Amino acid sequence: MVQLFGKDYTKQELLQWVGDVSQVGGVERLRIREGLQGGVEVVQVRTGTGLSFEVLLSRGMDIGRTDYRGIPLAWCSPTGPVAPCHFDPRGTGWLRSFHGGLVATCGLTTAGAPSTDAGEELGLHGRISHIPARETFVGGQWQGDDYVLRVEGKMREAVVFGENLVFHRRIETKLGENRLLIQDKVENCGFVETPHMLLYHINLGFPLLGPEAELWLPTLEVTPRDAVAARGLGEWNKLTGPQEGFQEQVYYHRLGQDSTGFTWVALVNRTLAQGLGVYVKYRPGQLSQFTQWKMLGQGTYVLGFEPANCRVEGRAKERERGTLQNLAPQEERLYELEIGLVTTPEELVWLQAQVAACQEEKGT
């Protein structure tokens, strides 16, 4: 059933009211024409509830601007979704095309800080976010009385005499829903063992993020990344307005999980609408690390949720710690995330219970 405007509709009932499903929701494929973003292909997705988001086909199928009934949910950087031909992979050059958005993907062979590992110079956060998708599918399909919206494609990160990784991504939602599902598969199509690091850079911003916002994490243990974060450790979950000269604070969290193996994290603002929250649900069994990026500066005012299979100090540090993951030849890894909204007081209570259940279970 499709739930829209306070009513439930079967396929037959809904189609009596509209000339085409696109009247109430759907997907539309567009191309940006000018500036450094010129040529970037974008899919605009509308679920009919007020949730809309952009999938950047030219940028690793990242998720860009995301809104709910006109309320922005994600922080957007001043660079915008720069076309991949302008990508600078050296050092911190990734920041010159970091679009922000709801999800910026980091990996596949390195993520986090620049480093030199096994003689290879590696830039910030890797290359996958700047690789265009191919073999794409964009569309909506009826499945019984559900109308499923899907964007799918794959990217290849490869070099002669080196890695040959294929990244399959499917982003799916349904007409009438306030959530989206990301399903990713990383496949080593080469014949040598290859380092594998993957991080989901989820960027929440104004007006969802503000001094009155609440950060809900089922944290069992929190560790600051560096001395700057250590000075703010006692207030890792406290939020303020934009501050002049703010230095980013990064914290590693060991999160609990519920009886089904999932963990839930959320940012909630009770002062928006009837109360608005964004949650992320995923399996720590797939993504064992969670990094909180607290950046409350002027203009760069953003809270980052970063589920990952690594920390953010770079590949050389992962190898030094003995935590660097590798993909054997022809090995595959599957990763799944759900990102959703709660929009009523009743849904906020429900979400709080999901987070609390993770703390009670105290999984690792």
Side-chain angles (χ1 to χ4, degrees):
M1 299 283 282
V2 176
Q3 187 176 70
L4 288 173
F5 320 119
K7 295 183 179 180
D8 291 332
Y9 297 89
T10 65
K11 174 183 176 180
Q12 184 177 11
E13 289 169 343
L14 182 62
L15 293 180
Q16 293 180 69
W17 290 93
V18 298
D20 184 78
V21 175
S22 63
Q23 181 173 329
V24 289
V27 294
E28 187 173 13
R29 192 166 182 161
L30 308 169
R31 187 187 299 269
I32 301 175
R33 294 186 57 184
E34 61 181 6
L36 290 175
Q37 298 84 27
V40 170
E41 284 196 273
V42 179
V43 177
Q44 292 185 340
V45 183
R46 297 177 297 120
T47 72
T49 65
L51 173 62
S52 64
F53 58 92
E54 297 178 341
V55 179
L56 306 174
L57 293 181
S58 302
R59 290 291 307 269
M61 294 183 63
D62 283 350
I63 301 177
R65 285 191 300 240
T66 303
D67 304 311
Y68 175 71
R69 295 186 176 180
I71 301 174
L73 304 176
W75 171 76
C76 294
S77 87
T79 74
V82 172
C85 61
H86 302 296
F87 174 45
D88 181 359
R90 301 167 298 176
T92 59
W94 186 89
L95 294 173
R96 292 194 174 275
S97 48
F98 172 34
H99 61 85
L102 187 65
V103 180
T105 314
C106 306
L108 297 169
T109 64
T110 187
S115 69
T116 300
D117 178 58
E120 182 180 3
E121 293 187 9
L122 303 164
L124 177 69
H125 283 322
R127 296 176 176 271
I128 190 60
S129 179
H130 293 80
I131 299 177
R134 58 190 179 89
E135 298 180 31
T136 57
F137 173 85
V138 176
Q141 297 174 325
W142 284 102
Q143 295 181 3
D145 287 322
D146 290 328
Y147 192 72
V148 178
L149 307 170
R150 178 162 59 93
V151 185
E152 190 168 1
K154 64 183 182 181
M155 289 67 65
R156 185 184 293 266
E157 182 177 332
V159 62
V160 176
F161 305 131
E163 69 270 11
N164 182 8
L165 302 181
V166 174
F167 185 56
H168 304 252
R169 169 163 284 180
R170 174 185 290 188
I171 300 171
E172 191 173 284
T173 185
K174 292 180 181 178
L175 192 67
E177 287 195 344
N178 276 331
R179 61 174 184 158
L180 62 94
L181 307 176
I182 301 173
Q183 183 183 82
D184 291 338
K185 182 176 72 173
V186 182
E187 179 181 4
N188 184 357
C189 294
F191 294 89
V192 296
E193 188 174 73
T194 301
H196 173 46
M197 299 173 69
L198 181 65
L199 181 145
Y200 296 86
H201 214 296
I202 300 167
N203 311 288
L204 303 175
F206 171 84
L208 180 68
L209 178 63
E212 62 288 328
E214 303 168 32
L215 178 57
W216 294 356
L217 300 182
T219 296
L220 306 178
E221 181 181 2
V222 58
T223 304
R225 179 186 64 175
D226 53 23
V228 173
R231 289 195 292 271
L233 180 59
E235 297 187 334
W236 65 264
N237 59 345
K238 304 299 182 184
L239 302 169
T240 68
Q243 297 182 37
E244 181 179 0
F246 188 91
Q247 292 181 279
E248 64 176 1
Q249 297 174 2
V250 175
Y251 299 99
Y252 300 121
H253 292 262
R254 183 168 66 88
L255 301 180
Q257 57 190 263
D258 63 23
S259 59
T260 65
F262 285 97
T263 195
W264 298 68
V265 299
L267 182 68
V268 170
N269 193 323
R270 299 176 192 268
T271 69
L272 291 177
Q274 299 181 65
L276 184 62
V278 173
Y279 70 83
V280 181
K281 174 188 176 184
Y282 69 96
R283 294 184 184 273
Q286 295 177 341
L287 298 162
S288 59
Q289 302 294 324
F290 181 85
T291 300
Q292 173 200 354
W293 180 40
K294 183 179 178 181
M295 183 59 227
L296 304 181
Q298 296 170 312
T300 312
Y301 184 71
V302 52
L303 181 72
F305 289 164
E306 301 177 10
N309 72 349
C310 57
R311 290 191 170 186
V312 294
E313 294 151 67
R315 197 168 89 188
K317 191 68 174 179
E318 290 289 319
R319 189 183 298 277
E320 177 186 324
R321 280 196 298 257
T323 54
L324 178 62
Q325 297 192 27
N326 293 280
L327 287 173
Q330 284 72 60
E331 183 181 358
E332 298 177 355
R333 299 273 179 88
L334 183 67
Y335 303 96
E336 298 168 299
L337 297 92
E338 177 180 326
I339 303 177
L341 306 180
V342 290
T343 62
T344 67
E346 294 77 16
E347 289 178 344
L348 286 173
V349 171
W350 169 84
L351 178 58
Q352 195 165 30
Q354 308 312 306
V355 177
C358 298
Q359 292 175 319
E360 292 168 5
E361 194 65 27
K362 296 189 182 300
T364 59

